[in-house]
Amino acid sequence: MSKPVVLVTGANGEIGRTLLQRLHAEGRYRVVTVDLTPLAEKYRSLCLETYAGNIMDRYLLDQIAAHHDIEVVFHLAALLSTRGERDPELAHQVNVEGTLHLLRMAQNQSGRLGRPVRFLFPSSIAVYGMPSIQEKAKAGRVREEDWNVPITMYGCNKLYCEHLGRYFTRYFRQLGALATAARLDFRSLRFPGLISAETVPTGGTSDFGPEMLHAAARKQPYECFVGPEAKIPFMAMPDAVSALVRLLEADRAKLTDTVYNVSAFSVSAAEIAERVRASFPGAQISFAPDAVRSKIVDSWPEDMDDTRARNDWGYAPAFDFERAFDEYLIPTIRERYNSVPPPSAGAR
Ligand code: AKB
């Protein structure tokens, strides 16, 4: 019996690279990727096939589906929140129309297979819109149905695609002959800011966390674009990939919804800076808040209530703030940059 085929879009991105390594290590799937940029050789060798192309190209997606019996889609390709504010129209095209093309392809594939293609979709904390710092502090850990009033094009895109996925899963062509055909199985996670030791994100507004850490490892000064008090939830990248794979494997009958909050640790920019300085003494970290990017981060909740994910499919992050730095970020980044900071009483 040949292993099922998984399609990963945006495979060259932050989540994509870590996911490819995880799927390869687990060895249960054959992986096909599509990304705007050719996959780096290190990752290409982990895949059955790699395609360089645009998810807006329906012909390419149909060709990929014609050559590979895809049973799972991890749709990671997206323009993130800051990049999306610089070109909202393009963000809509990629984030919404591109996603619709993938959903259409997965729906057609479900019909061909006679069973649902599982469609994993990373949504985001960006779907929330807290009206003020005071409300944000008062609300604390928000539930999935609270404050769904995003202030960015990216947040609007992610929220709408959550609803698109629910529609394809439960109601697609409910009036037509396809009403009883196999529909796809959409499963979505609302991620907080993600911090990877391997890569630095681009185009996001939660990027201040990883940017600060990687700049210190490279012994470069870092000017943080939000204020020290800016606070949102974060997650170590290995936990993000573990959550995606765990949700993929979850029993559909136990899932009470198609969208889940997942969180790990809620920290301020000042707390990240303090922790980075403890590991990289002499790190030059300053704060020069950008008014718009600060407003975006302030509109995101301090934390997300992930009780439903824990109850329905056993979500449990391995890394809290301290463990993320002590056991994953600092050791991996030091190895990556070969940057061993000078011995200091403050170093950990
Ligand atoms: C962004 O900053 O846009 C993303 C996100 C929070 O989804 N990292």
Side-chain angles (χ1 to χ4, degrees):
M1 181 83 169
S2 59
K3 296 174 184 176
V5 175
V6 166
L7 173 65
V8 180
T9 74
N12 237 349
E14 272 221 290
I15 302 174
R17 294 180 178 193
T18 307
L19 177 63
L20 292 184
Q21 292 170 318
R22 179 70 61 83
L23 292 176
H24 179 73
E26 294 192 352
R28 282 181 288 164
Y29 300 98
R30 291 175 293 158
V31 180
V32 172
T33 70
V34 60
D35 195 295
L36 268 182
T37 56
L39 210 54
E41 180 48 43
K42 168 184 175 184
Y43 298 97
R44 204 174 19 246
S45 61
L46 308 179
C47 303
L48 171 67
E49 187 67 76
T50 67
Y51 297 85
N54 191 325
I55 60 170
M56 298 298 291
D57 180 348
R58 296 177 60 156
Y59 177 76
L60 171 63
L61 297 180
D62 289 343
Q63 286 300 303
I64 293 172
H67 283 84
H68 306 285
D69 263 346
I70 293 163
E71 299 196 36
V72 174
V73 175
F74 285 95
H75 176 35
L76 310 179
L79 256 59
L80 301 184
S81 54
T82 292
R83 176 83 174 77
E85 289 311 295
R86 296 198 171 105
D87 193 338
E89 295 281 316
L90 178 63
H92 174 86
Q93 287 167 2
V94 172
N95 295 341
V96 175
E97 293 172 30
T99 299
L100 187 56
H101 292 335
L102 265 302
L103 289 167
R104 178 191 59 81
M105 184 273 284
Q107 174 53 49
N108 293 342
Q109 183 67 3
S110 301
R112 281 194 291 271
L113 291 173
R115 60 181 181 280
V117 166
R118 284 168 290 165
F119 193 107
L120 278 291
F121 181 74
S123 185
S124 163
I125 190 174
V127 304
Y128 295 104
M130 311 310 293
S132 68
I133 288 292
Q134 294 72 21
E135 278 292 351
K136 173 172 177 170
K138 186 176 157 192
R141 291 163 56 82
V142 302
R143 294 174 306 166
E144 284 85 354
E145 62 273 18
D146 296 337
W147 303 106
N148 289 182
V149 279
I151 70 165
T152 61
M153 174 59 93
Y154 169 76
C156 293
N157 299 159
K158 286 296 186 180
L159 186 59
Y160 174 56
C161 287
E162 289 177 7
H163 290 290
L164 267 185
R166 187 177 292 116
Y167 165 76
F168 269 82
T169 297
R170 297 182 184 171
Y171 311 108
F172 183 71
R173 288 195 177 174
Q174 55 200 309
L175 270 180
L178 279 174
T180 56
R183 294 194 178 110
L184 60 81
D185 177 353
F186 180 89
R187 306 178 180 201
S188 180
L189 295 172
R190 285 181 183 167
F191 280 130
L194 300 180
I195 307 184
S196 168
E198 309 281 336
T199 54
V200 184
T202 53
T205 318
S206 65
D207 295 357
F208 63 90
E211 285 178 354
M212 193 185 289
L213 174 58
H214 283 263
R218 292 192 294 246
K219 298 183 174 58
Q220 293 171 345
Y222 181 69
E223 196 173 70
C224 185
F225 57 77
V226 294
E229 72 294 338
K231 186 173 188 180
I232 55 171
F234 281 94
M235 179 184 290
M237 187 60 77
D239 275 339
V241 166
S242 295
L244 280 169
V245 174
R246 191 176 187 100
L247 180 55
L248 167 66
E249 303 295 344
D251 176 358
R252 175 84 235 167
K254 293 179 179 169
L255 302 183
T256 57
D257 202 338
T258 53
V259 178
Y260 290 92
N261 283 344
V262 285
S263 184
F265 49 90
S266 172
V267 287
S268 68
E271 288 170 306
I272 296 173
E274 181 188 357
R275 186 63 189 77
V276 170
R277 290 189 187 105
S279 294
F280 295 99
Q284 300 172 63
I285 301 170
S286 59
F287 291 89
D290 171 282
V292 175
R293 300 182 84 183
S294 294
K295 184 175 76 171
I296 291 171
V297 167
D298 290 346
S299 76
W300 296 347
E302 275 195 8
D303 205 349
M304 293 185 282
D305 180 342
D306 53 22
T307 304
R308 283 184 204 154
R310 293 169 188 264
N311 291 342
D312 284 10
W313 47 276
Y315 168 66
F319 296 104
D320 61 15
F321 182 41
E322 286 310 316
R323 284 195 67 193
F325 274 79
D326 290 345
E327 299 177 23
Y328 164 60
L329 291 168
I330 300 308
T332 312
I333 275 190
R334 279 181 177 151
E335 186 182 332
R336 181 180 189 283
Y337 290 108
N338 300 317
S339 63
V340 179
S344 150
R348 296 197 187 198

